[in-house]
Amino acid sequence: MNIHEAIKTRRSISLVTEQEVPEELIEQIIEAGTYAPNHHKSEPWRFFVLRGDGRKKLGKVLAAITKSQQEDPLSADSLAKIERSERNPLRAPVIIAVGVEPGTEDKIIEKEEFAAVSSAVQNMLLTAHALGLGAIWRTGAICYHPQVRDFFGLSEKGELSAFIYLGYPDFEPKPYTRTDAKKLTTWIDA
């Protein structure tokens, strides 16, 4: 698959099978992330692969955060939210959590570190697609909670940037029409 085809046909795949993803494919996806553009070559990305019971450990953290945010944690509604948070990491056989660990040199601009990691995630999503895998980039407010940062051992300046849920697609995504790039482009020639 050429790069233009990969870019135009990649879709977020939220439903995947439980089929195990070979470790060598996961490693290829992560390696692709490390080839993202990165000012000052600080390599701010950190990768965490969760499989099997590792996903359940994350689920416990997400459940604890959700519980702490409930007015009445014992209400039926709250219990359902807590249970859903705990089950979320089980939606795919693999999660690659991608963190940002900003460089500490004076010349480093923190915003650029986050941009580099976002580029890494895009490389990873395109690679997963090219390998015939389905993936979806998930975040949400819980992703940025200090307990999540601590779970992954990131510094005070570090932050999680993505949960990439990964597996073999369980559905065929519908084509998506994009706005013509010409409508979104301004040419400044003089």
Side-chain angles (χ1 to χ4, degrees):
M1 169 181 312
N2 75 47
I3 190 66
H4 297 290
E5 181 184 353
I7 290 169
K8 289 181 177 183
T9 61
R10 191 214 63 81
R11 298 287 178 272
S12 292
I13 305 293
S14 57
L15 296 174
V16 295
T17 69
E18 283 298 315
Q19 181 181 346
E20 191 174 315
V21 177
E23 200 168 298
E24 53 273 8
L25 296 185
I26 298 167
E27 289 172 344
Q28 282 181 47
I29 292 165
I30 292 170
E31 181 183 32
T34 67
Y35 281 87
N38 173 225
H39 198 196
H40 301 299
K41 298 180 178 73
S42 62
E43 299 183 322
W45 35 74
R46 301 294 181 271
F47 307 103
F48 307 90
V49 179
L50 296 99
R51 301 184 296 180
D53 287 344
R55 299 170 303 156
K56 291 180 182 179
K57 290 178 182 178
L58 175 60
K60 296 285 185 202
V61 172
L62 300 180
I65 294 167
T66 302
K67 184 177 182 178
S68 74
Q69 296 170 338
Q70 303 306 304
E71 235 177 83
D72 178 8
L74 298 177
S75 73
D77 185 50
S78 293
L79 290 171
K81 287 178 183 177
I82 294 164
E83 183 181 332
R84 188 170 48 251
S85 287
E86 188 168 359
R87 280 194 329 260
N88 278 347
L90 303 177
R91 294 182 286 197
V94 177
I95 301 171
I96 304 173
V98 185
V100 181
E101 198 59 74
T104 57
E105 295 179 41
D106 289 341
K107 64 184 176 182
I108 300 291
I109 299 171
E110 203 167 291
K111 187 184 288 192
E112 292 179 354
E113 301 286 81
F114 284 83
V117 173
S118 293
S119 296
V121 171
Q122 177 69 352
N123 281 3
M124 296 167 74
L125 293 172
L126 288 169
T127 300
H129 176 55
L131 293 171
L133 295 166
I136 187 168
W137 179 350
R138 294 196 183 270
T139 55
I142 204 164
C143 179
Y144 311 113
H145 194 281
Q147 283 180 261
V148 172
R149 180 195 64 221
D150 294 346
F151 176 76
F152 289 107
L154 296 168
S155 73
E156 287 286 321
K157 289 181 82 175
E159 189 172 273
L160 202 69
S161 184
F163 290 122
I164 300 175
Y165 285 74
L166 184 66
Y168 288 93
D170 202 16
F171 74 100
E172 185 67 36
K174 295 177 182 173
Y176 177 72
T177 304
R178 305 282 177 161
T179 301
D180 185 329
K182 291 175 183 170
K183 292 182 179 178
L184 304 171
T185 306
T186 301
W187 293 75
I188 303 171
D189 294 326

